[in-house]
Amino acid sequence: LRNNAKTLLEGVGMSDGMKQRCMELGMFVSHFRAQPSTKQTKVAEREFSARLVIQMIRLSTCLAVVLNRKEIDYEVIARVRDVALDTSRGPTLEIAKLLYSFGTNGLPSTVIMMRINDTDERVKQLLKFLKKIDVVEQFNLKTAKGVGSKDRYRLTPRMYDLYKRVMDPSKAVAD
């Protein structure tokens, strides 16, 4: 591998579908690895997705070489996905997983707090942060009598779709 690395890496092909999958994984990691700053309260930032997309493409290319593949295939992407999920693990991903399972009905912060086993203050801080980086949205669910409920949170439609594509292997890119 060391002697022929350049030739081997250049010989690996990648379809547009696999590039799209790497883009989705990079965006996913940039949103769910992000954490609110302990030093700044006004700025909510996440990592630059393009840098992470490049890392996902590099990782998939290197894995294809190690697995002796000429094309980046589903087995390679499945391993890259595992790395992306491992990298994203933390309270923000736990919140997203919970909100995804409740769909458009969402959940109040108190239920999220109990389900992820964290403090009310920390959950509210995380939800505020996730709202600023456009992962969750806050809304009121209308009851049958037309009265609004306590504030609830759900994934934004864009994040819901991204979460579904990354977490559900059957939603993987079909070439």
Side-chain angles (χ1 to χ4, degrees):
L1 286 174
R2 283 187 192 152
N3 295 336
N4 299 321
K6 185 176 180 185
T7 306
L8 291 170
L9 291 171
E10 289 173 351
V12 174
M14 182 180 236
S15 69
D16 288 343
M18 293 300 163
K19 287 178 188 170
Q20 177 67 33
R21 191 72 173 151
C22 286
M23 284 176 46
E24 291 169 354
L25 292 171
M27 285 178 54
F28 186 88
V29 171
S30 78
H31 283 86
F32 294 113
R33 184 165 71 179
Q35 297 290 316
S37 173
T38 56
K39 297 177 179 106
Q40 300 175 354
T41 56
K42 297 192 187 237
V43 179
E45 294 179 333
R46 61 180 177 82
E47 275 186 83
F48 190 49
S49 297
R51 188 182 73 76
L52 291 164
V53 170
I54 291 167
Q55 287 181 340
M56 296 297 158
I57 291 171
R58 282 185 187 156
L59 177 59
S60 59
T61 304
C62 290
L63 272 172
V65 168
V66 169
L67 295 172
N68 201 23
R69 306 286 165 82
K70 297 289 184 201
E71 273 294 308
I72 294 170
D73 59 16
Y74 288 103
E75 183 181 349
V76 171
I77 287 297
R79 291 175 189 229
V80 173
R81 177 185 168 271
D82 290 344
V83 170
L85 292 177
D86 191 48
T87 302
S88 302
R89 198 174 333 146
T92 54
L93 184 58
E94 287 302 312
I95 290 171
K97 186 184 301 183
L98 184 60
L99 292 177
Y100 179 80
S101 69
F102 280 85
T104 57
N105 290 330
L107 290 169
S109 64
T110 52
V111 175
I112 296 169
M113 174 194 69
M114 289 184 287
R115 296 289 288 271
I116 70 165
N117 197 25
D118 211 332
T119 65
D120 187 48
E121 181 182 329
R122 175 75 173 145
V123 168
K124 285 182 179 177
Q125 178 190 29
L126 288 169
L127 288 169
K128 184 178 177 183
F129 172 75
L130 288 171
K131 187 177 170 189
K132 283 183 181 178
I133 64 169
D134 200 33
V135 171
V136 301
E137 59 188 9
Q138 192 174 359
F139 70 103
N140 281 316
L141 188 65
K142 299 290 182 201
T143 63
K145 296 178 183 175
V147 179
S149 65
K150 192 173 183 180
D151 282 345
R152 297 171 79 91
Y153 296 87
R154 64 182 167 210
L155 293 176
T156 62
R158 185 175 66 87
M159 276 299 125
Y160 186 89
D161 289 341
L162 178 63
Y163 188 94
K164 179 171 42 176
R165 288 191 311 271
V166 169
M167 297 306 262
D168 186 352
S170 68
K171 304 295 182 214
V173 178
D175 288 304

